[in-house]
Amino acid sequence: DVVMRCLEKRPSDRWQTAHDLQRGLEELEAPVATPQSTLRTSVQFGIAGALVLATVYALMILLGLPDWVFLAAVILLVVGLPIVLTTGHHERRRALGVSRTHVTAGTGFARHFTWRKALTGGGLAFAGLGVVTAAYMLMRSLGIGPVATLIAAGVLDNQDQLIVADFVNRTSDTTLGRSLTEALKIGLAQSRVIRVMDARTTAGALQRMNRDRDTPLTLPIALEMAEREGARAVLAPEVQPIGSSFLLSARLLGPNQSELIALAENASDPGQLLGAIDRLSAKLRERVGESLRTIRGNEPLARVTTSSLDALRAYSEGVQAFEGRSDYETAIPLLEEAITIDSTFAMAHRKLGVAYSNSGRPFSMFFASLRKAYELRHRLTEPERYVTEASYHWWVRGDRDEGVAAYERLLSKYPNDYVGIFNLGVIHMATRNPAEAEQLFLRTVEAQPNPGSLPYRNALAMQVKQGKVAEAQGLLDLIKDQFPDEPGVGQYRAWFAKFRRDYEDAEREMLALRASQPDNAFWQRRTAILLSRLYWMRGRLGEAERVLTDLMHSLATPMNAQRYLEAAIDVAWLRRFRGDLDAARQAIDQALDESPLSSIEPTDRPYVHLAYHLAYLGRPDRAKALMSEWETEVETPPPFAWRQPSSARGAIALAEGRHADAIGEFQLWARAPIAIPIYPLGDLALAYDQAGQADSALAIYERLVETPELWRDDIDAAFLAPALVRLGELYETRDSTERAVHYYNEFVELWNDADAELQPRVTEVRERIARLVAEGR
C-alpha cells in the first residue's frame, strides 16, 4: 500500500513519500512494543527514584551539600511520577491500538507524552538542581549574598573564640538554664571552626573583672568579657515555655552588639530538649562556616551526652565546680550522681576520672573511670573520644605509641584542642623530651587563653630542666600575676625558691599556702608532705616526723588506708635516715596491723614502695614475698608511676650483697619513662659505691646533685645531704681540694639549722673544710 501511494504521488511529493516509506520499513523491521501496565511502570519508577535519592544523599554526605538538596530531589521525583505514569499510559495505548504500518507518534495532546521527552525533561530538571546547588555552595564559600557564611564574609575568622552566655531561663525549672548551657557548649565543642570559652577560662576572666568566679554569665557580663578577652562573638541563648512545649532561641552577637545570626528550635517536651539543642548548635555551626560534612559526622547530643535531663543537671553543676573553681570535693559527688542517674553517661565517667586523679584519689578509681569511659567511647563527642582513647592507652595500658597516635589524630582534626595539646605534652614530659613538652605546654596557653595555671607550671618545670632559669623566672612572675588566688601557685613559688636554694623562702611559701587552705583536705595533705621533705632535707628531722605523724592521724580512716600506709612508710624512711632501724621497722609493722594490704584495692596497694623500704630495713625475704604477690595481684604499673618495680628488685639485690644485679635493676629503673629521671640516681650511686666502683659512684652522685629539676622533693630529702658529703669525700681522695670544699660547703649550708643530734656531723665536715683550706695554702 505504501509503495502504490508513493507511485501515485506527483514527482514533487515523491521524496516525502519515500521518507514515509523508509520509516514504515524501519517500523516493520523493529520489534513490536510490549504493552506495560501502570503497576509495572510505577515499580520501575520507584526503583529508579530510589537509586537517584541514594546518589543524591551520598553526594550530600560526601560533599557537605545542604539538606534542601535532598528535599528538592524528592519534590522533583514526586512531580515526575504523574508525568511518567501518563507517558506510560499513552505509550501503552499506542502499543495496543496502532498497527505496524502506522508511522506517526500520535496527534494532539498525547504527542507530548513520549519516553524520549519524559527522560529528557527529568534529566534537565536534575541538571538544573545541580546548577542551583553549585551556585549556592559557591556563593556560600565566597561570602556572596544571603547564603554567605560568617567566615566567608570576613565577619569571623576560623577558630575565633566564642563566649556562650547562660541561657535566659523563662521556665519554672530554675536548674534548666545551666543544664541547657552545658549541653549547648558540648554541641559547639565538636566544631572545627569555633572555640568555645570553657568554664575554667571564664572563671579566670571573671576574676580579672573583679567578680566572683561563680558569677552567672548574663549577656551584659558576657559582652564585657568578650571585649576584655578579645572574643569575637557572644551567643545569647534563651528558653521559654509555649504550653507544654519549649522554644529555644539563640542570637549571635558580634562587635558593637550587632546581631549576626538569629536561630530558633522547638522541643515538644523535656525529653526533646537535647535534640533541639543539637539542631540549634548544628545550625549555628553551619551559618558560621563549618562544613555540613563535618557537622553531620558528629553524633547527636542525645547519644553522646545523656538522655536524662537530671543527669545532665548534675553533670553541669559538677563541671562548673571542677573547671570553674577547681573544687574537686564538690565536683566529685555531683559527677557520681550523674553516673548514678545514667550509667552510660560517658562524658561524666571521663570527667569523674580526671577529678579523681586531680584530687589525689586512689589510682584504682581513676583507672576504673577511664576504662568505663573507654568502653562507652562511642557515646562521646569526637574530640572527647580521641582524648579518652589516648588516656586509656597511655595511663591504663602504658602504651606510649598508641597514646601519642590518638592525640595526633585529634590534633590533625582539631589543631587547637588544648586538652589534646596539653596531654601530648605530658607524654613528652614523662618520656624525657623536655623541649618538645615545653613547646606543647606553651602552645596549650596559646590555643586556649587562661586554661588555668597547670600548663604554665609544667612549662616552668621543663624550662628548669633545660637550664633556662631566666625564662623560668619570667614565666613564674607571669603565673603570679595571672593567677593571684589559685592555691597551686604558692606551691610553684615554693618549688622555685627551693630550686634557687632559698630554703627559708620555700618554707614561708609552703606555710602560707597551708594557712590559706585550712579546710581543704587536699592542700593540707599536700603541704604536709612537701614540708616534711623540706625539713628532712635540711636536717630538721624532728619537725619532719612531727608533720608526718600529724598527717597519719588525719588519715586514720578506712577510706584513707592507702594514704595512711604511705605516710607510715615515709615515717619509717625518715627513721632509717636517722639510723634507727628498729623504730623504722616498728612504724611499718604497726601501720600494716592498722591498715592491712587486704583492706586496699590491689591496684592501690603500695607493694613496690613497701618492698623497696623493707629491703633497706634488712628484710629482703619479706620484700621478695611482697613482689611475688604484686606480680600476681597487679598489672604492670603505668608510666607515670615513678616507683618502678625495678627499684624494689634493686634494693633487694643490694640488701643481699648482689651489687651487679642491683646496679642492673637501678639502671633499668633509670631508663623507665618517668617524668623525674633523677629519682633512681641516689640508689644507683649507692650501689656503685658499695660495689667499689668509685668513679661511677662519683659521676652519678654529681648528676644527682647538679641536674636542674623543679620536682625533686623526695630525692633531695633522702639523698641530697649524704650525696654532698660523699662527693666531698670522693674528691678529697682524688686530691681535688677545690671540688671537695665546694661540696662540703654546700652540705654545711644545707644543714646549718639541723637538729642538735646531727650537729656533730656538721662540725666534723666544717673541720674537714678548715683542714683542706689550710693544706691548700
Side-chain angles (χ1 to χ4, degrees), residues 32-70:
V32 178
T34 303
Q36 288 196 147
S37 67
T38 301
L39 177 61
R40 184 175 179 182
T41 301
S42 301
V43 170
Q44 290 177 340
F45 181 82
I47 294 172
L51 291 174
V52 168
L53 291 180
T55 302
V56 172
Y57 183 78
L59 289 173
M60 277 179 56
I61 300 302
L62 184 64
L63 302 178
L65 303 180
D67 293 339
W68 58 259
V69 174
F70 187 80

Side-chain angles (χ1 to χ4, degrees), residues 512-636:
L513 173 57
R514 187 174 181 82
S516 70
Q517 303 292 321
D519 301 319
N520 190 307
F522 171 78
W523 283 114
Q524 289 297 304
R525 182 174 67 254
R526 183 69 179 152
T527 53
I529 293 172
L530 294 176
L531 277 169
S532 71
R533 302 295 192 266
L534 184 62
Y535 292 147
W536 181 350
M537 178 189 72
R538 302 189 66 199
R540 294 158 60 181
L541 307 184
E543 288 179 273
E545 185 164 350
R546 174 184 56 78
V547 172
L548 287 173
T549 303
D550 290 344
L551 176 62
M552 287 181 63
H553 290 157
S554 69
L555 296 173
T557 61
M559 67 175 295
N560 286 314
Q562 175 198 353
R563 293 172 181 158
Y564 178 83
L565 188 53
E566 289 173 344
I569 293 173
D570 286 347
V571 170
W573 193 7
L574 181 62
R575 291 176 179 176
R576 176 172 69 85
F577 186 86
R578 269 196 175 116
D580 193 345
L581 295 184
D582 290 336
R585 297 180 187 122
Q586 181 182 2
I588 289 181
D589 292 342
Q590 183 176 347
L592 286 173
D593 288 340
E594 296 174 359
S595 298
L597 290 176
S598 58
S599 67
I600 304 171
E601 284 290 322
T603 303
D604 302 323
R605 296 172 190 171
Y607 283 117
V608 175
H609 199 183
L610 192 56
Y612 170 88
H613 287 286
L614 285 172
Y616 273 115
L617 290 174
R619 294 178 173 177
D621 292 339
R622 191 173 174 187
K624 285 192 283 190
L626 280 173
M627 291 304 294
S628 297
E629 187 175 340
W630 171 82
E631 291 171 356
T632 304
E633 297 287 340
V634 182
E635 298 177 4
T636 302

Side-chain angles (χ1 to χ4, degrees), residues 746-763:
E746 285 202 11
F747 167 75
V748 168
E749 181 183 353
L750 183 67
W751 272 24
N752 185 56
D753 297 325
D755 292 346
E757 64 183 284
L758 301 178
Q759 284 302 322
R761 181 62 166 160
V762 178
T763 301

Side-chain angles (χ1 to χ4, degrees), residues 732-745:
E732 188 176 351
T733 62
R734 285 163 172 73
D735 295 325
S736 182
T737 302
E738 183 179 351
R739 296 298 292 166
V741 169
H742 168 75
Y743 286 116
Y744 283 147
N745 274 325

